[in-house]
Amino acid sequence: MDIKASALLNEMQALQGEMRTPNQVNAPGLHQDFSALLSKAINNVNELQQSTDSLRGRFELGDEAVSLEQVMIAAQKSGIAFEATVQVRNKLVDAYKTIMNMPV
């Protein structure tokens, strides 16, 4: 199966658009709770990892409908999403430590 450059570009642009939406939280009608946004992001990472595991399992079992390219792209997507989640967690922990160390 060939990787279609235009389809990959469209998907990357859609993901970029999704990442920009949280910056519009202050816009009227778009206010969302931070915990809801964080929960949604974590659930998205979990879904990506489960999808990758499913594709990997199907490929290993010899399913001809699943190509190596699909498995590798899915693995990269879930890996990047997981790393981004870890970075957000690290920033939150750093912010918490900073606040806790502030003199009262």
Side-chain angles (χ1 to χ4, degrees):
M1 175 179 195
D2 292 331
I3 298 176
K4 305 268 189 225
S6 61
L8 187 59
L9 180 62
N10 289 339
E11 188 173 345
M12 290 173 63
Q13 288 173 342
L15 289 172
Q16 184 179 24
E18 287 177 14
M19 295 189 73
R20 286 186 182 164
T21 14
N23 294 335
Q24 302 170 352
V25 170
N26 294 330
L30 292 177
H31 180 71
Q32 292 184 349
D33 187 16
F34 177 74
S35 63
L37 288 173
L38 188 60
S39 177
K40 181 179 174 184
I42 290 172
N43 288 336
N44 186 27
V45 170
N46 185 41
E47 289 173 10
L48 283 171
Q49 288 180 335
Q50 288 177 348
S51 173
T52 299
D53 289 343
S54 173
L55 281 174
R56 185 176 292 136
R58 288 174 51 199
F59 180 76
E60 289 172 353
L61 292 174
D63 187 351
E64 293 182 10
V66 179
S67 68
L68 179 60
E69 293 87 2
Q70 290 174 317
V71 174
M72 295 306 292
I73 289 172
Q76 287 298 314
K77 282 183 188 178
S78 66
I80 290 169
F82 181 76
E83 287 298 321
T85 304
V86 168
Q87 292 299 323
V88 169
R89 182 206 57 141
N90 291 344
K91 291 293 183 182
L92 287 172
V93 169
D94 288 343
Y96 177 77
K97 286 179 182 178
T98 302
I99 291 171
M100 293 307 294
N101 290 330
M102 285 181 166
V104 183

